Amino acid sequence: WLRRLHCRLFDMRCYGEVNRFWNDSIMCGITSVDFSKSGRLLIAGYDDYNVIAWDTLSSGKQQAFRLNQPHENRVSCLSVNPKGDALCTGSWDALLKIWA
């Protein structure tokens, strides 16, 4: 039995779940999230050193893009800049990386 790990999106207006973002290869927890400027992408950092951007309008299994192991330790924080043209990720490997 494997516990399915999801990144879940809720609508605060109705207190209901809107979508779940997951795939079978994710076996670890989510440490940080942020939305793209448009709100279309939900970007999540994971304990397995990966960063995945999910398409919020998809069925929940559609990844927009994935940064495969951009760090050498778990991703501890991430943020999209106000213009929406760069992503900053921080990790327990003591590095901040800017993806532009």
Side-chain angles (χ1 to χ4, degrees), residues 14-66:
C14 67
Y15 303 105
E17 184 176 302
V18 176
N19 207 342
R20 292 180 185 206
F21 304 97
W22 63 277
N23 69 35
D24 293 330
S25 68
I26 298 172
M27 305 301 279
C28 65
I30 299 165
T31 58
S32 50
V33 296
D34 198 7
F35 283 96
S36 64
K37 183 178 178 183
S38 68
R40 174 83 187 255
L41 300 178
L42 173 62
I43 305 161
Y46 291 84
D47 280 330
D48 66 356
Y49 320 161
N50 290 307
V51 174
I52 299 174
W54 300 98
D55 182 348
T56 60
L57 301 179
S58 74
S59 65
K61 292 189 78 172
Q62 181 64 41
Q63 295 179 14
F65 66 86
R66 178 184 191 116

Side-chain angles (χ1 to χ4, degrees), residues 40-99:
R40 174 83 187 255
L41 300 178
L42 173 62
I43 305 161
Y46 291 84
D47 280 330
D48 66 356
Y49 320 161
N50 290 307
V51 174
I52 299 174
W54 300 98
D55 182 348
T56 60
L57 301 179
S58 74
S59 65
K61 292 189 78 172
Q62 181 64 41
Q63 295 179 14
F65 66 86
R66 178 184 191 116
L67 301 176
N68 283 315
Q69 295 190 333
H71 288 280
E72 295 179 13
N73 206 322
R74 70 178 52 177
V75 176
S76 57
C77 60
L78 59 82
S79 183
V80 176
N81 75 328
K83 289 176 62 177
D85 57 1
L87 170 68
C88 181
T89 59
S91 170
W92 286 21
D93 63 10
L95 294 173
L96 285 174
K97 294 185 177 182
I98 298 173
W99 310 86

